Amino acid sequence: MEGGAEAVKSGTRGGGQVCQICGDGVGTTAEGDVFAACDVCGFPVCRPCYEYERKDGTQACPQCKTKYKRHKGSPAIRGEEGDDTDADDTSDFNYPASGNDDQKQKIADRIMVIVLRLVVLSIFLHYRITNPVRNAYPLWLLSVICEIWFALSWILDQFPKWFPINRETYLDRLALRYDREGEPSQLAAVDIFVSTVDPMKEPPLVTANTVLSILAVDYPVDKVSCYVSDDGAAMLTFDALAETSEFARKWVPFVKKYNIEPRAPEWYFSQKIDYLKDKVHPSFVKDRRAMKREYEEFKIRINGLVAKAQKVPEEGWIMQDGTPWPGNNTRDHPGMIQVFLGHSGGLDTEGNELPRLVYVSREKRPGFQHHKKAGAMNALVRVSAVLTNGQYMLNLDCDHYINNSKALREAMCFLMDPNLGRSVCYVQFPQRFDGIDRNDRYANRNTVFFDINLRGLDGIQGPVYVGTGCVFNRTALYGYEPPIKQKKKGGFLSSLCGGRKKASKSKKGSDKKSQKHVDSSVPVFNLEDIEEGVEGAGFDDEKSLLMSQMSLEKRFGQSAAFVASTLMEYGGVPQSATPESLLKEAIHVISCGYEDKTEWGSEIGWIYGSVTEDILTGFKMHARGWRSIYCMPKRPAFKGSAPINLSDRLNQVLRWALGSVEILFSRHCPLWYGYGGRLKFLERFAYINTTIYPLTSIPLLIYCVLPAICLLTGKFIIPEISNFASIWFISLFLSIFATGILEMRWSGVGIDEWWRNEQFWVIGGISAHLFAVFQGLLKVLAGIDTNFTVTSKASDEDGDFAELYMFKWTTLLIPPTTILIINLVGVVAGTSYAINSGYQSWGPLFGKLFFAFWVIVHLYPFLKGLMGRQNRTPTIVVVWAILLASIFSLLWVRIDPFTTRVTGPDTQTCGINC
């Protein structure tokens, strides 16, 4: 990175020595170098003019508008601290935009309300603990335990969001330094990964649109390579990718010529907007019509391949050259690599070069553990390192296309930043989705998580990795630590939230000093040590032995080509390597036994041990001291498809929760892993919350059942409260609403999205999270792997959101259905009892009804999901409801609260006349 930056600087400074503001000589520094006011573009400005601009002027370079940095000997201006460079969160290409007073005030108000709520919560819990309900002691005790757990969960959720920041990027400044027109681009190379398994569940047309958006990205074509992982070894995927590569030759020049957004054809042509807006080229309409016709023909060819794949021939699939398809046995086949487009022959219809497109299917053999998606991603890391070795890597799910063609440039504003970039392990973008109904009934957008939680973490050590839409630093994935920075003494608060740090004063050469590693799980050397060791930089015999080829191969695997690629800090492959030798080595590194006795999956690459390998992988990087960045461009970088009906949504949430439970009971549990390292305290809070949240399902289930029990038994979990005590109850509810409102203010999340999130927190908590806890315990403690799958067939609804009304029966629906019914029964029973007992019983009833309606209102989207469209209640739901209603009716008759229980006459009192 620095080499590329220096090349640009030398080209701009070599010209004049005359100040372009006053005409005087620029002058020199104390060291005798030419004074450079702006270290970005080198615009000639003398020292007096530089000082004037900093104090009374715009404080920015007149040419590139970069904010002037403070040079040695320059007096500090208001708002500046220290003697040298900016903190690690500031840069030439991006700034935290939390500096405006309105945003700061919103955050300050929110912190104040959080503290106030914490005080009120403490007083409320003290009252609850010291005022037991004697005639309903078990119910009271259960409710208090649940409330204490909810309070702890809230603290875990709130504290990591205390210091949110909003970032802005400046693509013009990035281009000024690394991508000047007429000069060779200095932007770093990026390898893009797309993962797919089953083309019947992940339609090839969807994958094709993702690939087409990648090939058309606004980035130097020689710096982009797309790798598609087919972990199902399906000939359908292979053939569809071949068709996609041919269509790309027509699609890519069209979208680049007319600057089309988005660059996935399915979503571009389906937009209901005025496509002529801002298009002034006279041939645009004609070309668009022709391209739409080409795309329709492309879709027909893809759909034809899908139809053909419905019936597998008895002898298996045969390729066009007459040889059997190597992947006919999906569990026993060799590794396969096919380069469809490349830098030597991949040209579009206008003769321009296209990015490289590579099909990869790793070797599968019986008896080997392949580690599902995490294993496939690690195979892609090795293949890409051998073939192209891009310095950075972007991973996308097959249904997440590039919606903003400048997405890679947005990421480079952070990763290639001279101050910040070397300590960044990845840049995470929020997930955005297409095809969701306006009301977002099941909170598919996850807006609260993406727009509140992750933005809050960006102010500490960075957001967690969420599995897709993430640009990685390859060095960080190899298990190395970031360069050590000189920490600014910021006290306890700085250590909690990762406060601003001063950049080290040392020059580039001093960065290559050996680092002291604090985590025994990471190597005792870093990438720069290896380079110096290979060059014979004077290490002693013991250290030279550690960094020998044998030591590296033991860590990375038995591939000299791959090991050599890890020594190239800025990526690239040796010029002497031939394509044939590289392909042969690439086949070797995706063999199923390659990872044996290496650190792949334990310290290198995507980490194994959980179905949510994304959380675990990001956690390991943060524990080593890396920081991540959250990038939210105005135009969403990526968009994908979300599960839309209730059953699919619950199964998705189940998988996420199960992965969290697996991490919680593993050696990587954030409660105890990585102490003594460089993980910020509040960042650890966030990871603890990420893994422990499924356990909240147990107290949540109890708390949702308690209102029904209280209504059926006539007892209550709260004693009769005084006027003074009622103030604390009211204060608690007001503080809950206040924190929610202020959270929405600074994040921009709407109240409808916030409320949908609250509803689905209850729905998912008493279904998917609950199942995940028990399934995780069975898997961890007994080794039993139980899968809860959707078993019913979807309905045949029509319309744009027909899938929303599909009903697929799954066992995940049982707990919420039961809770919903017993609360409805409880409301009817409690109301009936009050009517028969007179007005004096209505006072206690209102408190019980309030809690029961709280449960019912939160489960309302679930009820709508069960009912489907009007008058279309599934039979299974009717049967289940009748069964539960019958059981509770029998129990109700047994309790019989409307009559006084007769126990017989008291003969001792009234004698024989009784």
Side-chain angles (χ1 to χ4, degrees):
M1 287 183 294
E2 292 178 0
E6 285 296 324
V8 175
K9 292 175 186 176
S10 62
T12 56
R13 291 178 184 170
Q17 307 290 326
V18 178
C19 175
Q20 298 299 304
I21 296 178
C22 67
D24 292 341
V26 170
T28 59
T29 63
E31 291 79 12
D33 299 325
V34 176
F35 175 73
C38 177
D39 61 353
V40 175
C41 67
F43 186 69
V45 174
C46 66
R47 188 76 181 230
C49 290
Y50 158 79
E51 299 292 0
Y52 174 81
E53 285 295 322
R54 287 186 71 249
K55 184 179 180 182
D56 301 313
T58 62
Q59 301 181 3
C61 173
Q63 176 170 283
C64 68
K65 309 304 180 186
T66 302
K67 184 178 180 180
Y68 274 142
K69 294 183 179 179
R70 182 181 174 192
H71 288 290
K72 186 175 181 181
S74 297
I77 61 176
R78 189 174 65 178
E80 273 189 342
E81 294 179 1
D83 298 319
D84 248 321
T85 56
D86 298 333
D88 68 340
D89 272 346
T90 60
S91 71
D92 293 334
F93 317 134
N94 62 87
Y95 291 104
S98 57
N100 71 75
D101 295 336
D102 182 57
Q103 184 73 10
K104 284 184 175 180
Q105 186 60 46
K106 289 178 181 178
I107 295 172
D109 292 344
R110 178 173 166 270
I111 292 177
M112 181 182 69
V113 172
I114 288 175
V115 173
L116 181 63
R117 178 174 170 181
L118 194 61
V119 173
V120 173
L121 187 61
S122 302
I123 298 173
F124 170 79
L125 290 176
H126 177 267
Y127 170 81
R128 293 283 284 124
I129 294 171
T130 56
N131 290 271
V133 182
R134 301 298 179 185
N135 65 339
Y137 195 84
L139 297 180
W140 166 83
L141 183 61
L142 278 174
S143 66
V144 170
I145 293 173
C146 293
E147 288 161 7
I148 292 173
W149 181 269
F150 294 149
L152 293 174
S153 298
W154 175 77
I155 292 172
L156 279 175
D157 184 59
Q158 290 296 319
F159 279 10
K161 299 186 292 188
W162 267 35
F163 302 98
I165 57 175
N166 298 326
R167 297 184 182 271
E168 294 180 5
T169 54
Y170 299 93
L171 299 183
D172 54 341
R173 298 180 184 180
L174 178 76
L176 185 64
R177 174 171 288 193
Y178 293 115
D179 196 29
R180 289 195 169 197
E181 189 175 353
E183 299 179 8
S185 175
Q186 300 290 335
L187 291 172
V190 182
D191 293 334
I192 304 177
F193 303 155
V194 178
S195 56
T196 183
V197 179
D198 187 350
M200 295 302 169
K201 295 180 179 179
E202 301 163 331
L205 187 62
V206 174
T207 303
N209 271 271
T210 298
V211 171
L212 289 168
S213 70
I214 293 171
L215 298 178
V217 70
D218 182 4
Y219 206 75
V221 292
D222 59 326
K223 303 295 180 73
V224 177
S225 300
C226 177
Y227 293 83
V228 179
S229 170
D230 176 19
D231 220 31
M235 188 172 171
L236 171 57
T237 302
F238 181 86
D239 288 342
L241 208 58
E243 290 285 353
T244 303
S245 65
E246 289 302 313
F247 179 70
R249 301 177 192 271
K250 306 170 185 176
W251 173 252
V252 172
F254 167 73
V255 297
K256 289 189 175 181
K257 179 179 180 180
Y258 298 111
N259 197 25
I260 295 300
E261 295 282 6
R263 298 189 175 181
E266 183 69 25
W267 296 105
Y268 168 66
F269 288 122
S270 64
Q271 290 182 113
K272 297 178 181 179
I273 60 172
D274 179 11
Y275 64 85
L276 294 176
K277 185 179 180 181
D278 300 327
K279 296 294 186 294
V280 295
H281 203 289
S283 63
F284 171 69
V285 174
K286 180 181 177 181
D287 289 351
R288 186 184 187 276
R289 287 173 181 168
M291 184 52 59
K292 189 173 184 180
R293 184 169 59 251
E294 291 279 359
Y295 178 62
E296 293 298 330
E297 293 174 358
F298 168 71
K299 287 173 67 174
I300 291 173
R301 293 194 296 271
I302 295 295
N303 291 335
L305 292 173
V306 174
K308 179 183 176 182
Q310 299 294 327
K311 187 177 181 180
V312 182
E314 293 183 3
E315 68 277 8
W317 297 109
I318 304 297
M319 294 191 294
Q320 291 183 356
D321 60 2
T323 59
W325 171 247
N328 277 323
N329 186 343
T330 57
R331 298 183 179 180
D332 188 2
H333 64 83
M336 295 178 281
I337 297 177
Q338 175 67 46
V339 180
F340 286 107
L341 298 172
H343 303 315
S344 58
L347 302 179
D348 61 27
T349 54
E350 297 184 359
N352 298 317
E353 191 175 312
L354 288 172
R356 187 186 299 259
L357 176 61
V358 184
Y359 169 89
V360 180
S361 182
R362 57 182 174 143
E363 182 184 20
K364 294 283 186 71
R365 300 297 181 192
F368 284 90
Q369 174 61 264
H370 298 106
H371 301 290
K372 300 180 180 178
K373 181 181 177 180
M377 296 305 297
N378 283 338
L380 287 183
V381 172
R382 296 192 295 270
V383 167
S384 64
V386 171
L387 296 182
T388 52
N389 198 29
Q391 186 177 352
Y392 302 107
M393 298 172 290
L394 163 65
N395 85 289
L396 295 172
D397 290 343
C398 64
D399 63 342
H400 273 72
Y401 63 90
I402 297 180
N403 181 66
N404 182 345
S405 62
K406 292 181 169 29
L408 295 182
R409 295 178 183 268
E410 296 277 354
M412 292 306 125
C413 284
F414 303 100
L415 291 167
M416 296 189 70
D417 183 87
N419 298 327
L420 175 64
R422 293 177 66 83
S423 63
V424 175
C425 55
Y426 59 80
V427 175
Q428 178 67 64
F429 292 85
Q431 292 184 25
R432 304 299 188 207
F433 302 99
D434 289 308
I436 299 176
D437 68 302
R438 182 171 54 86
N439 295 322
D440 193 14
R441 182 184 293 180
Y442 309 124
N444 282 293
R445 290 191 178 93
N446 273 337
T447 311
V448 172
F449 175 73
F450 288 117
D451 288 21
I452 296 180
N453 294 21
L454 295 190
R455 282 168 73 186
L457 285 175
D458 201 12
I460 306 173
Q461 198 175 344
V464 299
Y465 167 42
V466 297
T468 184
C470 188
V471 184
F472 284 94
N473 182 337
R474 189 181 284 270
T475 301
L477 267 179
Y478 286 164
Y480 298 111
E481 289 184 349
I484 292 178
K485 290 189 176 183
Q486 181 179 348
K487 294 186 177 180
K488 181 180 178 181
K489 295 181 180 179
F492 179 68
L493 185 61
S494 177
S495 68
L496 285 180
C497 63
R500 296 190 175 278
K501 301 174 217 169
K502 243 193 211 173
S504 174
K505 296 182 182 179
S506 61
K507 295 184 179 179
K508 180 181 175 183
S510 64
D511 287 339
K512 294 193 174 184
K513 292 183 179 179
S514 176
Q515 300 177 11
K516 180 180 179 182
H517 294 263
V518 293
D519 188 346
S520 61
S521 66
V522 298
V524 294
F525 50 86
N526 64 17
L527 190 63
E528 291 153 343
D529 291 336
I530 297 173
E531 291 174 334
E532 293 188 358
V534 172
E535 295 168 0
F539 289 105
D540 55 35
D541 292 339
E542 183 179 357
K543 201 160 192 178
S544 297
L545 180 63
L546 282 172
M547 293 181 292
S548 66
Q549 184 78 2
M550 184 179 298
S551 176
L552 290 171
E553 289 187 354
K554 184 177 180 181
R555 177 174 170 80
F556 292 110
Q558 299 293 320
S559 171
F562 178 77
V563 169
S565 73
T566 65
L567 307 180
M568 306 175 72
E569 185 177 3
Y570 303 112
V573 297
Q575 295 182 353
S576 59
T578 63
E580 294 77 15
S581 64
L582 292 179
L583 277 174
K584 182 179 179 181
E585 198 65 28
I587 289 290
H588 170 56
V589 298
I590 60 172
S591 59
C592 55
Y594 181 83
E595 295 182 355
D596 290 350
K597 297 181 181 179
T598 68
E599 296 185 10
W600 284 99
S602 60
E603 303 298 335
I604 302 175
W606 272 256
I607 306 301
Y608 305 149
S610 170
V611 295
T612 52
E613 70 287 330
D614 46 5
I615 298 294
L616 199 52
T617 302
F619 176 58
K620 294 277 283 190
M621 294 181 189
H622 283 135
R624 292 188 180 105
W626 293 93
R627 74 149 300 141
S628 57
I629 297 292
Y630 200 49
C631 184
M632 298 179 66
K634 292 180 180 179
R635 180 178 179 87
F638 311 99
K639 280 191 175 182
S641 303
I644 194 172
N645 62 66
L646 178 60
S647 302
D648 288 347
R649 176 74 165 122
L650 289 177
N651 275 280
Q652 180 193 57
V653 173
L654 169 63
R655 186 178 67 83
W656 294 342
L658 177 59
S660 294
V661 173
E662 289 174 340
I663 297 173
L664 181 63
F665 293 110
S666 72
R667 74 181 185 93
H668 291 119
C669 175
L671 283 168
W672 53 73
Y673 180 82
Y675 282 97
R678 295 190 232 164
L679 185 69
K680 297 296 179 184
F681 190 65
L682 290 182
E683 190 81 8
R684 184 180 297 278
F685 260 40
Y687 275 106
I688 291 173
N689 187 46
T690 301
T691 56
I692 210 170
Y693 75 89
L695 297 184
T696 305
S697 61
I698 297 175
L700 183 61
L701 178 70
I702 295 171
Y703 217 76
C704 288
V705 173
L706 282 176
I709 296 176
C710 291
L711 286 166
L712 292 171
T713 60
K715 301 182 183 300
F716 199 33
I717 57 176
I718 299 175
E720 185 175 345
I721 59 176
S722 63
N723 292 333
F724 179 76
S726 64
I727 294 175
W728 297 114
F729 279 83
I730 296 172
S731 300
L732 179 63
F733 284 108
L734 289 177
S735 66
I736 291 173
F737 288 123
T739 50
I741 291 170
L742 289 174
E743 199 167 69
M744 288 184 282
R745 277 189 67 207
W746 71 257
S747 66
V749 172
I751 190 170
D752 54 338
E753 295 172 313
W754 179 83
W755 174 237
R756 287 285 179 265
N757 182 78
E758 292 295 305
Q759 288 179 311
F760 203 80
W761 174 72
V762 176
I763 296 170
I766 59 178
S767 57
H769 297 172
L770 185 68
F771 275 63
V773 171
F774 290 106
Q775 186 178 351
L777 288 173
L778 285 174
K779 187 173 182 179
V780 172
L781 301 179
I784 301 173
D785 193 359
T786 307
N787 291 317
F788 299 96
T789 58
V790 176
T791 57
S792 75
K793 188 172 174 147
S795 66
D796 57 350
E797 298 285 349
D798 297 322
D800 291 340
F801 298 105
E803 191 183 351
L804 178 67
Y805 306 108
M806 289 181 182
F807 183 84
K808 304 176 183 178
W809 177 252
T810 170
T811 47
L812 294 174
L813 302 178
I814 294 176
T817 306
T818 306
I819 289 173
L820 192 58
I821 290 176
I822 64 172
N823 274 280
L824 290 172
V825 171
V827 168
V828 173
T831 306
S832 301
Y833 178 81
I835 292 173
N836 289 332
S837 301
Y839 72 91
Q840 70 278 0
S841 61
W842 283 96
L845 176 65
F846 285 133
K848 302 171 190 177
L849 288 177
F850 173 81
F851 286 103
F853 280 121
W854 180 90
V855 175
I856 294 170
V857 168
H858 277 78
L859 292 179
Y860 177 68
F862 177 82
L863 178 61
K864 290 184 68 175
L866 290 182
M867 305 303 289
R869 285 184 184 256
Q870 292 180 351
N871 304 320
R872 293 293 302 274
T873 306
T875 305
I876 188 66
V877 176
V878 176
V879 173
W880 182 250
I882 293 174
L883 177 62
L884 286 175
S886 301
I887 293 173
F888 283 108
S889 296
L890 292 172
L891 289 173
W892 185 254
V893 171
R894 178 69 182 88
I895 297 171
D896 196 12
F898 298 133
T899 60
T900 303
R901 190 174 300 278
V902 178
T903 57
D906 187 350
T907 55
Q908 293 183 355
T909 303
C910 55
I912 195 169
N913 294 325
C914 290

